[in-house]
Amino acid sequence: MSTTLAELARLVEGRVQGDGERRIEAVRTLESAGPNDLSFLTNPRYRAAAAASAAGAVLVGEPASGLGGVDLLVAKDPYLALARILSHLHPQPKPAPGIHPSAIVDGNARIDAAASVGAGCIIGRDSRIEADVVLHPGVVVGEGCEIGSGSELHPGVVLYARTSIGRRCIIHGGAVLGSDGFGFATHAGGHEKIPQLGRVVIEDDVEIGANTTIDRAMLEETRIGAGTKIDNLVQIGHNVQIGAGSLLAGQSGVAGSANLGKGTILAGQAGVAGHLEIGDGARVAAASAVFKSVPAGSTVAGIPAREVGAWRREQALIRRLAELQRRLKAVEEALAEKGDQGD
Amino acid sequence: MSTTLAELARLVEGRVQGDGERRIEAVRTLESAGPNDLSFLTNPRYRAAAAASAAGAVLVGEPASGLGGVDLLVAKDPYLALARILSHLHPQPKPAPGIHPSAIVDGNARIDAAASVGAGCIIGRDSRIEADVVLHPGVVVGEGCEIGSGSELHPGVVLYARTSIGRRCIIHGGAVLGSDGFGFATHAGGHEKIPQLGRVVIEDDVEIGANTTIDRAMLEETRIGAGTKIDNLVQIGHNVQIGAGSLLAGQSGVAGSANLGKGTILAGQAGVAGHLEIGDGARVAAASAVFKSVPAGSTVAGIPAREVGAWRREQALIRRLAELQRRLKAVEEALAEKGDQGD
Amino acid sequence: MSTTLAELARLVEGRVQGDGERRIEAVRTLESAGPNDLSFLTNPRYRAAAAASAAGAVLVGEPASGLGGVDLLVAKDPYLALARILSHLHPQPKPAPGIHPSAIVDGNARIDAAASVGAGCIIGRDSRIEADVVLHPGVVVGEGCEIGSGSELHPGVVLYARTSIGRRCIIHGGAVLGSDGFGFATHAGGHEKIPQLGRVVIEDDVEIGANTTIDRAMLEETRIGAGTKIDNLVQIGHNVQIGAGSLLAGQSGVAGSANLGKGTILAGQAGVAGHLEIGDGARVAAASAVFKSVPAGSTVAGIPAREVGAWRREQALIRRLAELQRRLKAVEEALAEKGDQGD
């Protein structure tokens, strides 16, 4: 698909600084873009690469300082503009509707005629799959599941019985939703299983990463709020509630019965212990472990996690421990000398 | 299924404080329970919710203090009682025995007539599957595996060749057992693979979480002791031995050739380095990393992990570093002043 | 297969100290080896076990001190020698070439006649699979993928569209390659998906662990260099470049757009934040989190990671904080006393 810089500017409600009639055929990285490509500078870290790029045009944010004469597409939010331009220039084809003959669909499952069920998929009894759903090959849907319209499940996804997926969700390969929570009553040295009878509910517009696992609730629902995005290899324990619009980065984990508010962020490899409350908009830094509840709007870091400013000050003090020790020794020696003098 | 509070009390060897004839139809959370439901208070954190609950009856531990007139089912170990009541009130149906026509079973595999093999399962040569085993859809069993009676493997589980699963085990979706250990001999800048010729042995009554990985031994056995419970996304390296009755929480990891004793506990995201000995009953706190062996019965925390009391004291001292620095400065100034006076 | 100690010595360019005509039938651990077995001592930690072993012969490194009269096979690099002896004594059979009748292969995929495609595999349009490739059962290969000669993909591996695998690679069960990167433009409280249009390229001789996930690039390539070995449950974000001959241990993670040089090492549960440069030969200690770029050849540890010597000194000082506090208190009291005396 080919277009002009000016058309792209209209698409993203931006403006052109340079030649609006320049033809754009693709979006490429700064290193590989040529004269018919748009590239982008959304991270100031890459400013030198942008200046050296052979790109015909570069997408930048406001205020737009020049990049050595290259045409600029200036947008208020260049990362958002990038999302929209990529979708426009590189539309992704969807598989045709229909059920692959190798799929095994229970007679009591209801599959909308506009859904696509790939090779080797297995759909359990009483499950309901709405229009425009795409099940890529090898997806296993247990009994009594629901998958809302427009959702896409990649190969190898497993839904245990009664899992509910909203509309326009994307579930990546190998994710397992609805597995039993980790609940045992320890008795006389043995661990007796607490039956896990609830389910997993994924609201609309959620994306879930590859090989991520979300356990069913013990009794009711583990629930992922609308618009939340979860990365790869994330663990969500039973009974967890995650508010709308949250972001959970790769290898983060949330232990059982924790509640995350709306718009919370867990950075990579962060962990939240069980039964805690993480307030709306709270953020947890990468590789941190949260052992007590976090107020709304605050940012925490460290193991155990604490307010990020306090954590930074402590880190700075730890870096100065050798100096502190030397100063203390000097004070001790000065005192000893005075003591000697005083005797 | 409907019963009375008194019958449930008999089941769990507890006692009723209130109306033993109250009919109970289900177990529900404190928030959603109604007059025909039993709820439970097993974590004191939820005492206020229990007082506000509309539950007909509440399961509590000893000593049982009143909860505003609601009927109580009092049990010595309420969490254990909960496990038994849930199993009693909500029995889980098992799939009927038989081999789904889409399953691909090698002619030299032996499947007990009382086992259930789901759609799309693939069973390799010389594997043996005992009575009452349930293989949910899409399980891949390699050559020469054994699965003991009553075990249940959820969708997408992969057993490499010669993996042995005991009786009454539960393996959750996407778990991979028997993959090669991570062993390479580095030579002239390259990494030459050490063949991984051993296998994985899972003893009886083990539960393994979704997408957990357990590597085969280099030569002999990676072994998970009877009654051990492993959560989701846990990594177990080659040659590891885990004693009976251990608990490994989500995203924890054990590197190659480590030995964990009986009844050990790894909390979430904890790690154990290779070749270590973790003594019987030892516990590792969440997000901790164990770099040296841990004596039996001790609890360790931190990175690197140390005795938990020492770790707590250090954390408290780190919190006071700014104060220490201020006090040191005050001492230095006082000394300087005295020095001036003395001159 | 049976051989003699002298023949094995020739194979590994080592020497025999003892009876070169001793027959060797297998390699076993020190604990289980008998008189016709070779065992090995590659880690000094196990010296006592070696001395107590009933092994007929033991493989050791230089300098070879005696082990109580047992025959020794002495090799300059005993671990490398072990790799070669295991491959020689225990050759692993490969499945016969051919496509299992249950596999679903798109009419436009090209499968070499010398490749083996297992039961239940699904191969997408325009994919190309070279000679001597082994796809174990249940592998899903998307459209337009390439798998180089001699590579082996274990059960449940998922390749998204256009993934390229080099020659002689090993991909373990459940690994997902080519899933979407975690990229969203946050706008008015919502997270708009940045289309992920690139792909994953795995160079020759790479091994990838079970349930590991590697995201496709946003635009071009996420690339894993030749000879790199990646363990289980590792997360590699979009656009990441990993140099040749690197080692990434279990549960480590690399966030988006980070570049790792050649021969880098991430120990278990280590993490690298996005957009960083990790220089050639750099090493990251277990359970560490790298928040800024690391120079070539250096070793870092801690959260945040810093030069390992500095980290060790800080850890030693933290262990002495209680003592520092006591000494400061003593100084304060001494000063107060002097102040009293001075008044």
Side-chain angles (χ1 to χ4, degrees):
Chain A
M1 186 180 291
S2 172
T3 183
T4 66
L5 206 51
E7 283 174 51
L8 292 177
R10 272 192 294 278
L11 178 76
V12 302
E13 298 173 31
R15 61 185 174 85
V16 174
Q17 192 167 305
D19 176 14
E21 293 316 300
R22 178 179 285 278
R23 295 215 68 80
I24 297 296
E25 282 164 8
V27 177
R28 290 193 193 279
T29 60
L30 292 165
E31 290 74 20
S32 65
N36 293 319
D37 297 322
L38 176 71
S39 195
F40 52 94
L41 177 59
T42 55
N43 186 331
R45 202 188 283 258
Y46 299 116
R47 188 164 182 86
S53 175
V58 176
L59 168 66
V60 298
E62 299 274 19
S65 55
L67 280 172
V70 69
D71 295 334
L72 297 182
L73 169 42
V74 187
K76 217 169 90 184
D77 182 338
Y79 206 50
L80 178 65
L82 179 62
R84 294 187 174 167
I85 290 170
L86 285 172
S87 298
H88 179 73
L89 283 184
H90 305 276
Q92 294 301 291
K94 272 194 145 188
I99 298 175
H100 191 279
S102 66
I104 298 165
V105 179
D106 186 274
N108 285 318
R110 282 172 292 159
I111 318 272
D112 189 280
S116 168
V117 176
C121 286
I122 298 168
I123 317 286
R125 196 177 57 207
D126 297 329
S127 281
R128 200 182 73 221
I129 294 175
E130 297 187 351
D132 302 318
V133 165
V134 175
L135 301 188
H136 288 273
V139 169
V140 177
V141 176
E143 300 184 355
C145 293
E146 302 173 340
I147 305 177
S149 60
S151 285
E152 183 170 10
L153 277 63
H154 284 275
V157 166
V158 170
L159 305 186
Y160 278 52
R162 289 181 296 112
T163 298
S164 173
I165 310 281
R167 289 169 293 177
R168 297 173 304 277
C169 291
I170 300 173
I171 319 285
H172 283 288
V176 176
L177 277 59
S179 40
D180 285 354
F182 196 64
F184 302 91
T186 297
H187 171 66
H191 307 297
E192 196 152 329
K193 184 174 176 70
I194 313 277
Q196 302 292 310
L197 306 167
R199 63 174 188 153
V200 166
V201 176
I202 310 292
E203 298 183 354
D204 295 343
D205 299 301
V206 169
E207 184 160 344
I208 294 173
N211 284 343
T212 278
T213 57
I214 305 181
D215 281 347
R216 68 197 310 106
M218 183 175 80
L219 288 176
E220 313 211 330
E221 293 175 355
T222 301
R223 181 174 281 266
I224 311 296
T228 284
K229 312 296 181 183
I230 300 177
D231 200 351
N232 298 347
L233 293 172
V234 173
Q235 153 68 355
I236 309 286
H238 56 174
N239 312 319
V240 166
Q241 309 289 310
I242 297 183
S246 294
L247 294 172
L248 281 70
Q251 296 176 318
S252 61
V254 182
S257 301
N259 286 331
L260 277 62
K262 291 177 188 169
T264 58
I265 296 178
L266 302 190
Q269 300 185 331
V272 174
H275 297 277
L276 300 183
E277 299 282 333
I278 310 296
D280 290 351
R283 295 155 179 250
V284 180
S288 301
V290 180
F291 294 149
K292 60 179 191 183
S293 290
V294 175
S298 59
T299 300
V300 297
I303 305 173
R306 44 206 178 274
E307 193 275 320
V308 68
W311 177 79
R312 283 210 189 96
R313 286 188 295 274
E314 283 169 15
Q315 289 295 316
L317 286 164
I318 287 173
R319 298 293 168 286
R320 296 178 58 187
L321 271 176
E323 178 210 318
L324 251 67
Q325 194 189 29
R326 273 194 304 273
R327 284 166 52 193
L328 179 57
K329 191 143 194 284
V331 163
E332 287 170 331
E333 286 169 355
L335 262 179
E337 208 176 306
K338 282 196 189 298
D340 290 345
Q341 289 168 348
D343 283 343
Chain B
M1 186 180 292
S2 172
T3 183
T4 65
L5 206 51
E7 284 173 50
L8 292 177
R10 271 191 295 278
L11 177 76
V12 302
E13 296 173 33
R15 61 186 175 83
V16 173
Q17 192 167 305
D19 175 14
E21 292 316 300
R22 176 180 287 277
R23 295 216 68 80
I24 297 295
E25 281 164 9
V27 178
R28 291 193 192 277
T29 59
L30 292 165
E31 290 74 20
S32 65
N36 293 320
D37 298 321
L38 175 70
S39 195
F40 52 94
L41 177 60
T42 55
N43 186 331
R45 203 187 283 256
Y46 299 117
R47 188 162 182 88
S53 175
V58 175
L59 168 66
V60 298
E62 299 275 17
S65 54
L67 281 171
V70 68
D71 294 334
L72 298 182
L73 169 43
V74 188
K76 217 170 90 184
D77 182 340
Y79 205 51
L80 178 65
L82 179 62
R84 295 188 174 166
I85 290 170
L86 286 172
S87 299
H88 180 74
L89 282 184
H90 306 277
Q92 293 301 292
K94 271 194 145 188
I99 299 174
H100 192 278
S102 65
I104 298 166
V105 179
D106 186 274
N108 285 318
R110 284 172 293 161
I111 318 273
D112 190 280
S116 168
V117 175
C121 287
I122 298 169
I123 316 287
R125 195 177 58 206
D126 297 330
S127 280
R128 200 183 71 221
I129 294 174
E130 296 187 354
D132 303 317
V133 165
V134 175
L135 302 188
H136 288 273
V139 169
V140 177
V141 176
E143 300 183 357
C145 293
E146 301 173 341
I147 305 177
S149 60
S151 285
E152 183 170 11
L153 277 63
H154 285 275
V157 166
V158 170
L159 305 186
Y160 278 52
R162 289 181 296 114
T163 298
S164 173
I165 309 281
R167 290 169 292 179
R168 297 174 303 277
C169 291
I170 301 173
I171 319 284
H172 284 287
V176 176
L177 277 57
S179 41
D180 284 354
F182 195 63
F184 301 91
T186 298
H187 171 65
H191 306 297
E192 197 151 329
K193 184 175 176 71
I194 313 277
Q196 302 291 311
L197 305 167
R199 62 174 189 154
V200 166
V201 176
I202 308 293
E203 298 183 355
D204 295 344
D205 299 302
V206 169
E207 184 159 344
I208 294 173
N211 284 343
T212 279
T213 57
I214 304 181
D215 281 348
R216 67 197 310 106
M218 182 176 80
L219 289 175
E220 313 212 331
E221 293 176 355
T222 302
R223 181 174 281 267
I224 310 298
T228 285
K229 312 297 182 182
I230 300 177
D231 201 350
N232 298 347
L233 292 172
V234 172
Q235 152 68 356
I236 310 287
H238 57 174
N239 313 320
V240 166
Q241 309 291 310
I242 297 183
S246 294
L247 294 173
L248 282 70
Q251 296 177 317
S252 61
V254 182
S257 301
N259 286 331
L260 276 64
K262 293 178 186 168
T264 58
I265 296 178
L266 302 190
Q269 300 185 330
V272 174
H275 297 275
L276 301 183
E277 298 284 332
I278 309 297
D280 290 352
R283 295 153 179 252
V284 181
S288 301
V290 179
F291 295 150
K292 60 179 193 185
S293 290
V294 175
S298 58
T299 300
V300 297
I303 305 174
R306 45 207 177 274
E307 192 275 319
V308 68
W311 176 78
R312 283 209 189 97
R313 286 187 295 272
E314 283 169 16
Q315 289 294 316
L317 286 164
I318 287 173
R319 298 293 167 285
R320 296 179 58 188
L321 271 176
E323 178 211 318
L324 251 66
Q325 195 188 28
R326 273 193 304 273
R327 284 165 53 193
L328 179 57
K329 192 142 192 284
V331 164
E332 287 170 330
E333 287 170 356
L335 262 179
E337 205 177 307
K338 282 197 189 298
D340 291 344
Q341 290 169 348
D343 285 344
Chain C
M1 186 181 293
S2 172
T3 183
T4 66
L5 206 50
E7 284 174 50
L8 292 177
R10 271 191 295 278
L11 177 75
V12 302
E13 296 172 31
R15 61 187 175 83
V16 173
Q17 193 168 304
D19 177 13
E21 293 316 299
R22 177 179 286 278
R23 295 216 68 81
I24 298 296
E25 282 164 9
V27 178
R28 290 192 192 278
T29 59
L30 292 164
E31 290 75 21
S32 66
N36 293 318
D37 297 321
L38 176 71
S39 194
F40 52 94
L41 177 59
T42 54
N43 185 331
R45 203 188 283 257
Y46 298 118
R47 188 164 181 86
S53 174
V58 175
L59 168 66
V60 298
E62 298 275 18
S65 55
L67 280 172
V70 69
D71 295 332
L72 297 182
L73 169 42
V74 187
K76 217 169 91 184
D77 183 340
Y79 206 50
L80 177 65
L82 179 63
R84 295 188 173 165
I85 291 170
L86 286 171
S87 297
H88 179 75
L89 282 183
H90 306 277
Q92 294 299 292
K94 272 194 144 189
I99 298 175
H100 191 279
S102 65
I104 296 166
V105 179
D106 186 274
N108 285 318
R110 282 172 291 160
I111 318 273
D112 189 280
S116 169
V117 176
C121 287
I122 298 169
I123 317 285
R125 195 177 58 205
D126 297 329
S127 281
R128 199 182 74 221
I129 293 175
E130 297 187 352
D132 302 318
V133 164
V134 174
L135 302 188
H136 288 273
V139 169
V140 178
V141 176
E143 300 184 356
C145 293
E146 301 173 341
I147 305 177
S149 60
S151 285
E152 183 170 12
L153 277 64
H154 284 275
V157 166
V158 171
L159 305 186
Y160 278 52
R162 291 182 293 114
T163 298
S164 173
I165 310 282
R167 289 169 293 178
R168 298 173 304 275
C169 290
I170 301 172
I171 318 285
H172 284 287
V176 176
L177 277 58
S179 40
D180 285 354
F182 196 64
F184 301 92
T186 297
H187 171 66
H191 307 296
E192 196 152 329
K193 184 175 176 70
I194 313 277
Q196 302 291 310
L197 305 168
R199 62 175 188 153
V200 166
V201 176
I202 308 293
E203 299 184 353
D204 295 343
D205 300 301
V206 169
E207 184 159 345
I208 294 173
N211 283 342
T212 279
T213 57
I214 304 182
D215 281 347
R216 68 197 310 105
M218 183 175 80
L219 289 177
E220 313 211 332
E221 294 175 355
T222 301
R223 181 174 281 265
I224 310 297
T228 284
K229 312 297 182 183
I230 300 177
D231 200 353
N232 298 348
L233 292 173
V234 173
Q235 152 69 355
I236 310 286
H238 57 174
N239 314 320
V240 166
Q241 310 290 310
I242 297 184
S246 293
L247 294 172
L248 281 71
Q251 296 178 318
S252 61
V254 182
S257 301
N259 286 331
L260 277 63
K262 292 178 187 167
T264 57
I265 297 178
L266 302 190
Q269 299 186 331
V272 174
H275 298 275
L276 300 183
E277 298 282 332
I278 309 298
D280 290 351
R283 294 152 181 255
V284 180
S288 301
V290 180
F291 295 150
K292 60 178 190 183
S293 291
V294 174
S298 59
T299 299
V300 297
I303 304 175
R306 44 206 178 274
E307 192 274 321
V308 68
W311 177 78
R312 284 209 190 98
R313 287 189 294 274
E314 283 169 17
Q315 288 295 315
L317 286 164
I318 288 173
R319 297 293 168 286
R320 297 178 57 188
L321 272 176
E323 177 211 319
L324 251 66
Q325 194 188 30
R326 273 193 304 273
R327 284 166 52 194
L328 178 57
K329 190 142 194 284
V331 164
E332 288 170 330
E333 287 170 355
L335 262 178
E337 207 177 305
K338 281 197 190 296
D340 291 345
Q341 291 169 346
D343 285 344

